[in-house]
Amino acid sequence: MNSDIFIWLVQDGVTNGAIYALLALALLLVFAVTRVIFVPQGEFITFAALSLSLLESGRVPGTIYVLAIGGLAAAALEGVAALRERAWRRLPRAALLYIALPVAVALLVAWAAPRKFDQWVQVLLVLAMVVPLGPIVYRIAYQPLASASVLVLFIVSMAVHYVLTGFSLVFFGAEGLRSSPFWDANFKLGVMSISAQSLWVMAASVVLIVALWLLFERTIYGKALRATAMNRVGARLVGIPTVLTGHLSFLLAAFIGAASGILISPITTLYYDTGFLIGLKGFVGAILGGMASYPLAAAGALVLGLLESFASFWASSFKEVIVFTSIIPMLVWLSLRSRHVEEEEE
């Protein structure tokens, strides 16, 4: 270990930690609002990264089929619920959100893919495909079980993870893919060479974190999310629709996952199941932050990124073991400082 290697490891750790910080914020947001430990967060990364790679090669990504199938399933559930409750006004909105919008996006992507538009257009197409999957997943898997226990919701999350991973394998295959960098340049800073893509990752992460802070502090929807996270029953009593906040939290989680996948796709080769491990590390970062606040979750993710980077140098064979073992002291501390309360059966 010398100063040059130390600087390289810090750069790599900060770059990875910036992605983990975004995922930690998304996971903490979803858990605080809906009590869902959102295991499938990494699948949004996979769908976005692999879709961008396929669009660059002029092929139609299989994400459009996942979007269309999920939209039809969500529309069917919403239609049955509306008919059962005799809420006829919900039918046109359900048809628009879950059928018309996904089908329109799928047709647009199928038309645009062979034409190989500029990269920024392809990025917008990827966001249009992946971001709506968040509310669709919530409507299908979690909204019917909104009042269930955390354990039941966790089991459902595992099932959703396996379903989305299966879709990813079917529509993308087992071959790894990587997209081209947004800016192919390198900058010299002393002995260190910083790639423009790493700067893109760090800058975009900072911008997204600031945007989330502004959303929570300055907008009515952000304040509704905060209120629901603080007291779900109280938020419902004062007229905040918790179903809407659930959809919004999953929409933000899908957006963050898609943005993360777009940012890291030029840096590393991703496979159909790579997103799970990346999302899991974001969850570890949130735990290191105590699962209590967004700044602490971001700080915990940065610490995790640095730990992973240095572990890969000192003991590369045990890197993953070291990373995931790091949460044990935090879990012990959280268990000692909290009181266990038995959940009442309804």
Side-chain angles (χ1 to χ4, degrees):
M1 172 71 70
N2 55 37
S3 59
D4 295 347
I5 296 176
F6 178 83
I7 294 174
W8 276 102
L9 293 177
V10 169
Q11 177 193 350
D12 185 60
V14 171
T15 303
N16 292 334
I19 295 296
Y20 298 156
L22 287 176
L23 298 176
L25 294 179
L27 290 164
L28 184 57
L29 170 65
V30 170
F31 180 74
V33 174
T34 64
R35 300 178 299 114
V36 172
I37 301 175
F38 195 44
V39 178
Q41 176 68 42
E43 271 57 65
F44 296 135
I45 300 174
T46 302
F47 284 134
L50 298 182
S51 297
L52 181 59
S53 299
L54 291 179
L55 284 176
E56 288 184 348
S57 63
R59 291 181 287 173
V60 178
T63 310
I64 63 173
Y65 304 112
V66 180
L67 180 63
I69 294 171
L72 290 174
L77 289 176
E78 189 69 18
V80 170
L83 294 175
R84 184 183 298 125
E85 300 171 9
R86 299 183 181 277
W88 315 112
R89 295 180 179 179
R90 289 163 52 181
L91 293 176
R93 185 182 65 179
L96 175 64
L97 293 179
Y98 297 128
I99 298 179
L101 180 60
V103 170
V105 171
L107 293 176
L108 176 62
V109 173
W111 171 82
R115 289 164 173 78
K116 295 186 179 181
F117 288 107
D118 292 338
Q119 193 175 43
W120 67 270
V121 177
Q122 295 172 348
V123 168
L124 293 178
L125 291 174
V126 170
L127 291 175
M129 284 187 289
V130 177
V131 174
L133 289 176
I136 287 174
V137 169
Y138 178 76
R139 180 62 188 89
I140 295 174
Y142 298 103
Q143 184 177 325
L145 300 171
S147 60
S149 65
V150 174
L151 178 60
V152 171
L153 294 174
F154 175 71
I155 294 173
V156 172
S157 284
M158 292 302 302
V160 173
H161 157 66
Y162 288 120
V163 169
L164 292 180
T165 303
F167 278 139
S168 183
L169 178 59
V170 169
F171 292 121
F172 295 110
E175 181 182 357
L177 297 173
R178 178 185 293 195
S179 63
S180 59
F182 301 118
W183 188 12
D184 192 8
N186 287 282
F187 303 97
K188 285 287 186 180
L189 184 61
V191 297
M192 184 172 59
S193 177
I194 304 176
S195 67
Q197 189 62 37
S198 297
L199 296 178
W200 265 106
V201 171
M202 290 182 278
S205 299
V206 171
V207 169
L208 287 174
I209 291 173
V210 172
L212 287 174
W213 177 78
L214 292 175
L215 171 70
F216 294 138
E217 293 292 332
R218 303 298 176 87
T219 67
I220 188 66
Y221 291 105
K223 292 177 181 178
L225 285 171
R226 291 173 57 193
T228 307
M230 292 177 184
N231 191 327
R232 185 178 181 86
V233 176
R236 190 185 300 119
L237 290 175
V238 298
I240 296 176
T242 53
V243 172
L244 175 62
T245 56
H247 279 86
L248 183 57
S249 65
F250 273 73
L251 180 73
L252 291 173
F255 175 76
I256 293 173
S260 302
I262 291 169
L263 289 172
I264 67 174
S265 60
I267 298 177
T268 182
T269 302
L270 278 86
Y271 299 85
Y272 74 96
D273 58 349
T274 306
F276 172 68
L277 187 60
I278 300 174
L280 197 58
K281 290 178 181 177
F283 180 64
V284 172
I287 292 178
L288 290 179
M291 293 290 288
S293 69
Y294 299 108
L296 288 178
L302 287 175
V303 170
L304 179 69
L306 292 171
L307 176 63
E308 181 184 27
S309 179
F310 282 92
S312 64
F313 176 79
W314 290 110
S316 59
S317 301
F318 300 98
K319 179 185 68 173
E320 306 297 347
V321 176
I322 295 172
V323 167
F324 292 112
T325 305
S326 64
I327 67 173
I328 294 178
M330 178 58 68
L331 292 175
V332 172
W333 182 72
L334 289 175
S335 65
L336 292 176
R337 66 184 291 266
S338 63
R339 294 185 300 110
H340 177 69
V341 178
E342 295 288 344
E343 295 188 8
E344 295 182 0
E345 296 185 358
E346 297 182 359

